[in-house]
Amino acid sequence: MRPLALLLVSLSAFAQQEEDFRVYTESPRIFLRPQRLRLVQREKERQSIRWQQFEALMVGKAPMPEAGFANALFAQTTKDKSYCAAAERAVGNDTRQMAIVFDWCGAPAALTAKLKVSAERLASANDVPSLRTRALAAVALAEADPAWSEAAMKDVVVRGWRGTIVPSIRAGKPIPRAHTLALFELLHVVRDNLNIDLRDPVQGLFRDLPVLMLLSYYPAAYPGAENEFRVPYYTSDGEPDLKIAAESRAAELAMVAFDNNPVEIQSLQSWLLQDRYLMRGTFGIVYEYLWANPYQPGITYHYLPNVFHDKRGGRLFIRSNWEEDATYFVYDNGAGQVFVNGKRADVNVAAQAKPIRIGAATIVLGKTPMKIETGYTVEERGNQPLEPGEKRIEEDWFVVGLKPGARYDIEADDEELAEGFADAGGTLALHYSFPRTMTVRIRETSVSRP
C-alpha cells in the first residue's frame, strides 16, 4: 500500500476510534434541547396561532393520531404531569412514541425493559425509519442502560448509516420521500446527543434536498379540511394522500430547524411561513408546534431555479415559474407527467413528435444517433445579434429515454466536441445560451461511465 493511502486509512481508523457514542446530555434529550424547548414555551407565552390550535385540540380531548407524542409535548410545554400519564397510556407498542414519552416524561421501570425489547426487534433493519427509532430508544435509555445505549448508538451510526445508507445514496438510490421526516429526526437526535453530523459523507444530497423538495410539488394548492396543502407528485389514481403531504411539510419544518444557514433553506423557510398551509389538523399541528420557527426570516423562493435534474435518482422536475398557475412536468422512472390548469396527466414521451417546452427547458426523446435544432424557442430570433441591453437567455435541454449511465458524444455547431453521460434514469442534460439557432448531434460511444 502506498504511503499516502496508508496514512488516510490510519487517520480514518483513528477518527472512528476517537468517536464517543456515550450519551451525556440531560433530559429532555430528544428534539427538545434547551433552545428548542425555550422556543415552544415562548410560543405558549405569546399565545401564537400554533399554540392556540394545539391547546384547543388537547384540552378538547380530540383524538390525536400520535397521542403519546402529542400528550408528552403538551406536558413539556405546560408542565402538567397529567398529560404525561395520558401519554404513557397511549403509546401502546409504538417504539418511536415510547422513546419520546420515556425521555420527555420519565416512565415506570417496566417501560425500560419494554422499550429496549421493542428497539431490539429493529436491530437487523437498515432502513432510515428503523435506524431513527433505534437511535431514539438508545438516547431515551442513556441513563437507565448506558452500556446498551452506547452500543446501539454506535451500531446505528457506524453500521446502519455509514455502512448501509451512505453507500446506497452514493450508488444513486435516493432516500424515499416517505422517509424524509424520519431522516431529519435521526439527524437531530444524533447531532444533539453525540455531536456527530451524519450529513458529512453525503453533503451533496443535503445541499440539493431543499430545492428538490420544493420542485417535487404540484404548483396548485389543494384544499384540506383544516388548511390548504402542497401536494407532492404521485403516480397512483384518485385523490392525493394528504397524510403524505402533511408528513412532507413536517419533514421540511424539521429540515429548517436542523440548519438554517444555506440560502436554499432560507427559501424553504419562506415557503413554509405562509399561514394558509399551516397544518391545523390533529396530526400536523404537533409537528407545526414542535418544529416551526416563525421568528426566523426567509428569502423568497421565487429566485430559486425552476428546473431540477436529480442525477442521483434519475428524475427531472420542471415548472414554468413559481406561481400557482405554472405548468409542471416530472419525469421519473421512464414515465412523464404534466400538471396544467389544476389537472395532471401522464405523458408518453416516446409518442411526442415535437419537443416538450416548459419555460426555459425543453424535453426531447432520445434516439441516437440524433440531431436536434436548438434556439427556436426565443421568438425565432435566429442568429441575429443581441439588441443593446438585451440579456442572453439560458436554456436547458433534456434528452430522455437514453441508456442509463451511457456515454455520449455531443457535437454542436461552432463548438468543440464534448461528451456527456446519461443519468441513472437515462437522461442527458444539455445547457446553451441564446438567441441563436444551432444543430446539436448526439451519438452513443462505446465507453460507459465507470
Side-chain angles (χ1 to χ4, degrees), residues 164-431:
T164 304
I165 302 299
V166 168
S168 177
I169 293 171
R170 287 174 171 167
K173 297 178 182 178
I175 293 175
R177 186 188 201 97
H179 294 179
T180 310
L181 177 57
L183 170 64
F184 278 90
E185 289 185 342
L186 175 63
L187 293 180
H188 274 281
V189 76
V190 170
R191 187 184 66 179
D192 289 349
N193 293 280
L194 298 181
N195 200 29
I196 294 174
D197 192 339
L198 297 180
R199 299 175 302 172
D200 288 343
V202 281
Q203 286 286 350
L205 167 71
F206 291 96
R207 182 183 60 249
D208 294 340
L209 192 55
V211 178
L212 188 154
M213 293 286 283
L214 291 179
L215 276 167
S216 65
Y217 289 104
Y218 296 119
Y222 188 90
E226 296 91 3
N227 52 270
E228 295 181 80
F229 283 94
R230 305 276 193 183
V231 174
Y233 84 96
Y234 62 103
T235 57
S236 59
D237 295 331
E239 296 298 305
D241 186 337
L242 295 186
K243 174 71 177 303
I244 294 175
E247 289 177 342
S248 185
R249 178 176 170 86
E252 289 161 0
L253 290 167
M255 189 188 308
V256 172
F258 188 78
D259 182 3
N260 57 29
N261 289 319
V263 172
E264 294 82 3
I265 291 288
Q266 294 175 40
S267 296
L268 176 60
Q269 170 73 344
S270 175
W271 172 277
L272 294 169
L273 284 179
Q274 301 172 79
D275 284 345
R276 58 191 285 209
Y277 299 106
L278 190 156
M279 296 185 291
R280 294 171 168 83
T282 53
F283 173 80
I285 190 59
V286 186
Y287 294 95
E288 285 280 352
Y289 185 63
L290 173 63
W291 291 122
N293 184 354
Y295 312 104
Q296 178 185 324
I299 298 174
T300 179
Y301 51 86
H302 287 83
Y303 294 114
L304 290 175
N306 49 16
V307 176
F308 185 81
H309 180 204
D310 176 20
K311 297 179 182 178
R312 296 181 188 85
R315 298 175 293 180
L316 179 62
F317 304 93
I318 304 172
R319 54 188 295 163
S320 56
N321 55 58
W322 282 99
E323 304 302 326
E324 291 193 12
D325 60 356
T327 299
Y328 178 78
F329 177 85
V330 57
Y331 184 79
D332 184 10
N333 197 29
Q337 187 185 119
V338 67
F339 186 93
V340 184
N341 298 326
K343 297 181 179 180
R344 64 192 184 105
D346 293 333
V347 175
N348 184 354
V349 180
Q352 302 300 307
K354 295 182 178 180
I356 301 171
R357 304 175 191 167
I358 300 176
T362 305
I363 304 99
V364 62
L365 178 68
K367 294 181 179 179
T368 58
M370 65 181 296
K371 179 173 69 174
I372 58 177
E373 302 290 336
T374 69
Y376 50 80
T377 61
V378 191
E379 300 179 357
E380 304 297 337
R381 281 291 305 273
N383 292 315
Q384 298 180 28
L386 292 172
E387 298 292 338
E390 185 179 9
K391 294 182 179 180
R392 299 191 69 83
I393 295 177
E394 305 296 317
E395 185 166 295
D396 294 300
W397 281 69
F398 297 96
V399 184
V400 302
L402 299 175
K403 189 182 299 182
R407 191 178 81 173
Y408 294 88
D409 283 340
I410 305 163
E411 184 179 4
D413 290 346
D414 302 322
E415 294 189 7
E416 294 183 359
L417 182 68
E419 69 173 18
F421 290 89
D423 69 12
T427 296
L428 177 66
L430 307 173
H431 184 83

Side-chain angles (χ1 to χ4, degrees), residues 20-207:
D20 188 355
F21 296 95
R22 180 69 64 92
V23 174
Y24 294 103
T25 51
E26 296 181 358
S27 293
R29 302 180 177 92
I30 296 175
F31 309 148
L32 288 177
R33 300 303 299 143
Q35 184 177 0
R36 180 62 44 177
L37 183 57
R38 286 194 297 270
L39 176 60
V40 298
Q41 291 173 340
R42 182 183 179 189
E43 286 289 272
K44 173 181 176 294
E45 294 167 2
R46 292 184 67 253
Q47 290 292 296
S48 72
I49 186 173
R50 288 178 175 84
W51 165 252
Q52 290 183 37
Q53 181 66 11
F54 185 34
E55 181 186 36
L57 292 173
M58 296 303 297
V59 173
K61 305 298 181 185
M64 309 296 282
E66 296 179 328
F69 180 26
N71 277 282
L73 179 58
F74 198 75
Q76 274 288 332
T77 307
T78 62
K79 304 305 178 184
D80 186 339
K81 293 187 177 180
S82 67
Y83 285 93
C84 273
E88 291 168 19
R89 292 192 298 269
V91 293
N93 294 316
D94 186 328
T95 311
R96 170 180 170 271
Q97 291 192 73
M98 204 184 303
I100 292 171
V101 171
F102 191 101
D103 181 57
W104 290 357
C105 289
L111 189 57
T112 302
K114 182 180 179 181
L115 176 57
K116 181 177 175 181
V117 169
S118 184
E120 279 297 303
R121 295 194 185 103
L122 303 172
S124 61
N126 292 315
D127 59 281
V128 170
S130 297
L131 294 174
R132 176 275 318 272
T133 301
R134 288 190 69 216
L136 294 182
V139 168
L141 294 172
E143 287 185 23
D145 195 337
W148 181 87
S149 170
E150 182 177 8
M153 287 297 281
K154 182 176 182 178
D155 186 67
V156 165
V157 173
V158 177
R159 183 195 58 80
W161 177 258
R162 294 174 183 162
T164 304
I165 302 299
V166 168
S168 177
I169 293 171
R170 287 174 171 167
K173 297 178 182 178
I175 293 175
R177 186 188 201 97
H179 294 179
T180 310
L181 177 57
L183 170 64
F184 278 90
E185 289 185 342
L186 175 63
L187 293 180
H188 274 281
V189 76
V190 170
R191 187 184 66 179
D192 289 349
N193 293 280
L194 298 181
N195 200 29
I196 294 174
D197 192 339
L198 297 180
R199 299 175 302 172
D200 288 343
V202 281
Q203 286 286 350
L205 167 71
F206 291 96
R207 182 183 60 249

